[in-house]
Amino acid sequence: MESEKTIVVLVILISSVLVVAGGAAGNGLSGCSFPAIYNFGDSNSDTGAFSAAIYPQQPPYGETFFRKPTGRASDGRLLIDFIAKELRLPYLNAYLDSLGTNFQYGANFAVGAGTIRRQNDTQPNGPYICPFYLGVQTTHFANFKARVIDLYKQGKDVNRIPISGDFSKALYTIDIGQNDVARSMFGLSTDEIPDMINQFSTAIKELYNKGARIFWVHNSGPNGCLPSNKLFANRTMDSFDKIGCNNRWNEAVSAFNAQLKERLTKLRADLPQAAITYVDIYAAKYKLISNANKFGFTNPLKQCLHKEKRNRTVVDVSCPNPSKFISWDGVHYTEAANQWLAKAILNGSFSDPPLPITQACHRQAPM
């Protein structure tokens, strides 16, 4: 009897582990095998493009994990790095970084300060205008794919590029829109959101027409909770929620997110071979920020990085323990916060359909 009880207990434990470990055993769907990741976005997922093409990044960026600046807007790894790790793929090289890069397992087309739409306005003291908006990034991908196919046809060395037949099996991640919505708060109107969504939709269709089939799309995070927001808040017209986030800014983001989710639902019908996962990164980030102490972080509306004057020069200086901060520099997240977010979203808890990223190749969750 004792041996039978032991066997039963072991079976229960093993079953529980399988369910927790990945969902494949829990929902009946098979896991996906992604040979590569192609990422599009802004500084939330840029792994070196802005630093390579526009302005070299300086310390103390990158100090926690890489021990040097790598072009990531953090003290260490970004959410896209943890996505690659989850899928057992190497960290992505930036497409615009020409030295020492390896694109065998994908490429990162995201560029810091990137936007969905091309920005033509010139606002006094407004944000930097990045030329690498989403339409340019998708064009870069199209050129990249064409070049890969051509190199295979020529019989050239293909050790550092992806297999030409694997583009339809890859995962296409998109995290962009934060800068567009933020810019709308600098004088542009949130009435511009429908055009942002139209151009976002056009980009997905263009990728689909170039062979992309599996999309993992993040909505935009709560801009009103960024420590930098206090620099732009209008105290005469803005109100703040119970944790200090700017309601007006977050309402603008929520309007963008609602329209994005609605459009992705339509795209699922328009693109019959596409598997499109909408990830509510806003909800995940707000959960982290509103429960910062519970999750081991300090004041979520304060940043780690600060300015100091040394030898008549103002420099960026890191706080003693970045892992206690959610915000690294007032806009971007620390590695510790990015790691928390990865753990929160990659299991499908914030996804529609509610599937983990390891099953994102499926069009829908089982009923």
Side-chain angles (χ1 to χ4, degrees):
M1 289 294 292
E2 290 298 324
S3 61
E4 291 178 359
K5 290 181 180 178
T6 301
I7 291 172
V8 170
V9 171
L10 285 173
V11 169
I12 292 173
L13 286 172
I14 292 170
S15 299
S16 299
V17 169
L18 288 173
V19 171
V20 172
N27 62 22
L29 294 178
S30 60
C32 311
S33 179
F34 298 115
I37 301 171
Y38 297 100
N39 182 66
F40 305 82
D42 51 33
S43 55
N44 288 314
S45 61
D46 179 359
T47 55
F50 189 96
S51 184
I54 300 174
Y55 186 78
Q57 193 179 70
Q58 304 298 316
Y61 283 82
E63 67 174 18
T64 296
F65 184 80
F66 300 99
R67 307 300 180 190
K68 62 180 180 180
T70 62
R72 291 165 170 81
S74 179
D75 61 310
R77 289 169 291 182
L78 307 177
L79 188 49
I80 186 63
D81 294 311
F82 290 107
I83 288 175
K85 183 180 179 181
E86 179 75 6
L87 299 179
R88 299 182 179 181
L89 293 172
Y91 300 138
L92 293 180
N93 286 140
Y95 173 73
L96 294 180
D97 190 356
S98 60
L99 297 176
T101 49
N102 187 332
F103 300 122
Q104 185 177 0
Y105 299 101
N108 193 350
F109 299 91
V111 184
T115 51
I116 298 169
R117 305 191 305 167
R118 180 178 181 178
Q119 304 297 323
N120 297 316
D121 59 299
T122 54
Q123 305 172 38
N125 301 317
Y128 167 79
I129 296 177
C130 175
F132 301 104
Y133 60 95
L134 187 55
V136 171
Q137 294 180 30
T138 56
T139 298
H140 283 169
F141 169 77
N143 293 338
F144 174 82
K145 180 181 178 182
R147 183 65 175 145
V148 166
I149 293 172
D150 186 55
L151 287 172
Y152 270 94
K153 287 181 179 178
Q154 293 181 41
K156 296 290 183 66
D157 182 8
V158 294
N159 289 330
R160 300 173 71 85
I161 62 175
I163 297 173
S164 58
D166 278 354
F167 284 100
S168 64
K169 304 173 187 176
L171 180 68
Y172 292 76
T173 53
I174 307 176
D175 188 334
I176 197 167
Q178 176 174 313
N179 293 324
D180 295 83
V181 181
R183 291 180 68 84
S184 74
M185 310 305 288
F186 284 94
L188 298 177
S189 170
T190 53
D191 291 342
E192 302 290 323
I193 289 176
D195 187 52
M196 298 175 196
I197 301 301
N198 286 337
Q199 294 198 36
F200 198 115
S201 177
T202 296
I204 290 181
K205 289 178 180 178
E206 289 177 352
L207 292 172
Y208 182 85
N209 290 336
K210 291 298 180 181
R213 291 295 180 265
I214 309 164
F215 299 89
W216 179 268
V217 182
H218 293 177
N219 67 9
S220 193
N223 281 352
C225 299
L226 298 175
S228 62
N229 181 265
K230 63 179 178 286
L231 300 175
F232 312 115
N234 186 329
R235 296 288 167 177
T236 62
M237 64 183 297
D238 286 336
S239 62
F240 302 85
D241 66 14
K242 61 183 180 182
I243 59 174
C245 297
N246 188 312
N247 288 322
R248 184 171 64 95
W249 282 62
N250 279 351
E251 286 165 4
V253 176
S254 295
F256 170 85
N257 290 342
Q259 293 184 44
L260 175 62
K261 185 175 183 180
E262 182 179 358
R263 182 59 62 87
L264 293 183
T265 299
K266 185 177 185 302
L267 283 174
R268 291 190 187 102
D270 295 343
L271 309 176
Q273 296 180 29
I276 303 174
T277 303
Y278 170 86
V279 184
D280 193 353
I281 200 72
Y282 181 104
K285 287 182 175 179
Y286 194 83
K287 179 179 180 180
L288 172 60
I289 292 166
S290 58
N291 297 279
N293 292 334
K294 175 182 175 181
F295 297 123
F297 294 92
T298 187
N299 188 330
L301 302 185
K302 290 186 177 181
Q303 66 194 65
C304 170
L305 205 64
H306 58 280
K307 302 285 187 182
E308 285 187 10
K309 191 172 184 179
R310 295 180 177 177
N311 299 324
R312 299 182 180 179
T313 302
V314 177
V315 296
D316 288 323
V317 178
S318 175
C319 59
N321 191 356
S323 66
K324 291 296 182 181
F325 283 78
I326 291 175
S327 179
W328 166 244
D329 57 9
V331 177
H332 308 100
Y333 287 61
T334 60
E335 168 167 309
N338 286 324
Q339 188 170 26
W340 186 96
L341 289 167
K343 185 177 180 180
I345 70 168
L346 297 184
N347 62 8
S349 296
F350 292 88
S351 297
D352 178 25
L355 293 171
I357 197 168
T358 52
Q359 295 180 332
C361 60
H362 298 283
R363 285 178 54 83
Q364 61 185 21
M367 299 298 289

